[in-house]
Amino acid sequence: MTVRTRFAPSPTGFLHIGGARTALFSWLYARKHGGSFVLRIEDTDLERSTKESVNAILEGMTWLGLEYDEGPFYQTERFDRYKVIVDQLIESGHAYKCYCSKERLEQLREDQMARKEKPRYDGHCRDLSSPPSPDAPYVIRFRNPQEGQVVVDDLIRGRVVFNNSELDDLIIARTDGSPTYNLTVVVDDSDMDITHVVRGDDHLNNTPRQINILRALGVEPPVYAHVPMILGHDGKRLSKRHGAVSVMQYREEGYLPEALINYLVRLGWSHGDQEIFSVEEMIELFDIPDINKAASSFNPEKLLWLNQHYIKSSDPQHVARHLSYHFSKLDVDPAPAPELSQVVVAQQERARTLVEMAQNSVFFYRDIEGYDEKAAKKNLKAEAREPLAKLRERLGALEPWEQEAIHRTVSEVGEALDLKLGKVAQPLRVAVSGGPVSPPIDVTLYLLGRERTLARIDQALEYIDRQSG
Ligand code: GLU
């Protein structure tokens, strides 16, 4: 059997953390078994589905690297097919027209509630021989078996048994003929030969209904795996209240996709106490039955820690590609020099996010228009004039312009003036970077180049003169 999994988002918002994790689990399972991963857009709710949302989902999946083998298939393009199946179900006696008015159903519901019964359709139109009037509006209901049980052998939850007596005859087509969720999912999962349905456990109650419809169509149901939900730090279902829940928001905040992927895979799945997984390792080690049965909690600090890990340990060229996005957001063109990947190497150890890294690296590419106030007050004062002037002189004559020689020069200026290294290096740092933090001073100067270093020292000397003049 070739494994075929799917991700079936409803395009009513961005790709969120929970959806992305479900997609990742489905994707991993397909990859692990050399199967196919299908993307299906469940856009039948015409009022809530938007093109922007479809794009946001596609963009999120691309950014995460969850490439699909088939699709995207759009349910709105398959209405004819759903109609064929609805007709077929009516034809075979598995579905029937229901003419019950809103008012009747409302009354039924109220009565049931008053009797403390679970509200459900009472089967009034099940065996109706003729319509109440020739042009009476109707919906189509599935004739759910009234006896027996539906057994779901869920790969995560284990065996879950539903009594058919608990399930009522659900609507599969509305008055306007449009199909409902449970019908479209069943038709698609069957037409697309889906073997494993991995989805949020908020759908578990739909599963016995879907299985009954599949059986009525003579189709063997797929295997189901219902993934427990994600909670925020307060134990409530993860939502916007807990911070960013949109995948692309994490991109904006300076996360690398592999950090998010690694975070998501561990959110409810584990392999011993291993925390760091490359995608290849995930594919090799992941298995659905190892997903926790219990809900998992979202932990932003751990995600940040993973991000830092990947910033530190990834190929600088790769980090540079993602970093350039953040430069463009700051309206900075990281060209022509220094090479962005060299800046990454210089900053890798100290940045937790790419936003931080970009902000702390802007000075490599943009002239200094003002100093960090506190840093200037502390370091660009009259007593810094002499060491800066001396550095200007010595660095101007330095040959070749390389890290070690720069390092030596800064130390020698300190020794010559009998100053601690900090008294020399820190004013220099503020002069060339505008603020109190930068990579080691020799690296910073080397990357900045001689010309800009000297110009910035001149600028700082003028600043000092203006302040004390
Ligand atoms: N479209 C459904 C949702 O976004 C998912 C349906 C399914 O996976 O079966 O919740």
Side-chain angles (χ1 to χ4, degrees):
M1 175 186 68
T2 310
V3 166
R4 290 175 61 84
T5 64
R6 50 43 160 212
F7 177 48
S10 304
T12 55
F14 43 71
L15 178 63
H16 56 82
I17 292 293
R21 184 186 62 160
T22 305
L24 173 63
F25 288 166
S26 286
W27 180 84
L28 284 173
Y29 197 71
R31 288 290 168 273
K32 183 183 181 67
H33 294 280
S36 291
F37 175 60
V38 178
L39 177 62
R40 180 167 85 220
I41 305 290
E42 304 209 322
D43 55 352
T44 55
D45 184 341
L46 300 178
E47 263 164 39
R48 295 179 61 223
S49 303
T50 65
K51 187 90 200 111
E52 291 74 52
S53 171
V54 172
N55 289 339
I57 291 167
L58 298 181
E59 192 185 24
M61 294 189 62
T62 305
W63 183 70
L64 287 172
L66 300 178
E67 77 280 8
Y68 34 91
D69 305 297
E70 290 172 35
F73 297 111
Y74 293 86
Q75 289 192 324
T76 43
E77 290 172 8
R78 293 176 43 79
F79 275 21
D80 291 349
R81 173 69 183 149
Y82 304 134
K83 179 152 185 1
V84 168
I85 298 295
V86 170
D87 290 346
Q88 190 182 316
L89 285 168
I90 297 176
E91 196 69 22
S92 62
H94 289 292
Y96 61 91
K97 295 176 180 170
C98 167
Y99 301 90
C100 290
S101 65
K102 247 202 191 101
E103 294 70 33
R104 178 178 185 276
L105 293 175
E106 199 48 51
Q107 190 60 50
L108 177 66
R109 193 184 151 80
E110 273 172 31
D111 294 348
Q112 287 168 333
M113 302 273 272
R115 290 197 300 268
K116 300 213 175 351
E117 288 170 17
K118 203 167 132 195
R120 57 203 301 275
Y121 182 61
D122 61 354
H124 182 262
C125 296
R126 246 184 175 236
D127 301 305
L128 220 57
S129 49
S130 59
S133 65
D135 50 4
Y138 58 84
V139 298
I140 310 287
R141 286 185 187 272
F142 176 67
R143 191 186 297 273
N144 200 76
Q146 289 176 307
E147 277 152 28
Q149 297 180 321
V150 185
V151 176
V152 183
D153 279 315
D154 190 279
L155 283 185
I156 299 170
R157 309 273 296 231
R159 175 163 289 203
V160 189
V161 180
F162 297 86
N163 286 321
N164 272 323
S165 58
E166 296 279 318
L167 309 171
D168 59 1
D169 292 350
L170 73 148
I171 297 173
I172 55 172
R174 303 183 186 89
T175 312
D176 64 3
S178 63
T180 60
Y181 160 73
N182 279 303
L183 191 275
T184 57
V185 166
V186 155
V187 176
D188 289 352
D189 284 341
S190 157
D191 283 358
M192 296 168 193
D193 294 322
I194 300 302
T195 57
H196 295 76
V197 168
V198 181
R199 61 182 172 197
D201 68 1
D202 47 334
H203 285 291
L204 182 60
N205 284 330
N206 287 319
T207 304
R209 301 169 185 282
Q210 294 177 10
I211 290 177
N212 280 337
I213 302 176
L214 285 164
R215 294 235 162 92
L217 291 169
V219 175
E220 195 48 38
V223 174
Y224 293 90
H226 288 91
V227 183
M229 61 179 155
I230 303 173
L231 307 176
H233 55 84
D234 53 1
K236 303 226 169 75
R237 196 189 186 98
L238 187 70
S239 76
K240 278 188 201 153
R241 287 180 300 113
H242 300 103
V245 284
S246 146
V247 165
M248 293 315 268
Q249 182 64 27
Y250 283 95
R251 179 192 198 194
E252 298 306 313
E253 293 182 8
Y255 287 79
L256 282 170
E258 42 280 20
L260 194 52
I261 286 280
N262 194 147
Y263 182 73
L264 290 175
V265 83
R266 283 285 292 105
L267 198 53
W269 172 82
S270 54
H271 180 75
D273 50 14
Q274 187 172 339
E275 289 293 354
I276 309 284
F277 295 86
S278 67
V279 167
E280 292 70 34
E281 271 179 306
M282 288 179 207
I283 293 173
E284 191 194 320
L285 301 171
F286 177 79
D287 205 359
I288 295 177
D290 297 333
I291 295 174
N292 292 342
K293 283 189 182 53
S296 29
S297 299
F298 192 74
N299 177 350
E301 284 86 49
K302 188 167 163 198
L303 175 54
L304 191 59
W305 173 78
L306 279 167
N307 200 44
Q308 206 167 1
H309 166 83
Y310 280 100
I311 287 178
K312 253 192 236 173
S313 59
S314 301
D315 172 16
Q317 302 276 2
H318 171 79
V319 179
R321 271 195 297 280
H322 287 281
L323 183 63
S324 64
Y325 170 75
H326 295 280
F327 271 116
S328 67
K329 278 184 60 191
L330 294 171
D331 226 1
V332 171
D333 180 11
E339 211 177 283
L340 198 48
S341 59
Q342 288 185 294
V343 170
V344 171
V345 173
Q347 298 281 35
Q348 249 169 338
E349 288 294 327
R350 70 200 74 244
R352 290 176 309 169
T353 69
L354 296 179
V355 168
E356 235 173 71
M357 191 187 276
Q359 281 166 351
N360 292 338
S361 306
V362 165
F363 75 87
F364 282 115
Y365 302 100
R366 193 193 262 164
D367 291 343
I368 291 181
E369 279 152 16
Y371 301 104
D372 174 272
E373 213 175 302
K374 231 168 103 191
K377 207 159 173 190
K378 188 155 171 232
N379 299 289
L380 298 185
K381 45 192 184 190
E383 67 188 55
R385 191 168 213 302
E386 197 186 6
L388 281 177
K390 192 113 195 125
L391 282 164
R392 164 92 181 65
E393 183 194 317
R394 296 280 308 270
L395 291 170
L398 187 67
E399 277 309 335
W401 186 259
E402 57 173 38
Q403 219 171 294
E404 216 188 293
I406 295 170
H407 183 83
R408 219 173 27 246
T409 305
V410 177
S411 309
E412 283 169 8
V413 168
E415 280 157 25
L417 298 176
D418 204 14
L419 289 171
K420 282 205 192 116
L421 192 61
K423 292 276 175 203
V424 179
Q426 201 56 9
L428 180 57
R429 170 170 285 121
V430 179
V432 299
S433 76
V437 276
S438 81
I441 196 69
D442 50 350
V443 178
T444 305
L445 263 49
Y446 171 70
L447 290 178
L448 203 55
R450 186 200 311 270
E451 208 179 304
R452 279 187 298 171
T453 299
L454 300 184
R456 287 181 191 189
I457 295 178
D458 287 341
Q459 189 182 349
L461 288 170
E462 279 167 33
Y463 174 85
I464 292 173
D465 291 344
R466 266 203 316 280
Q467 297 305 95
S468 50

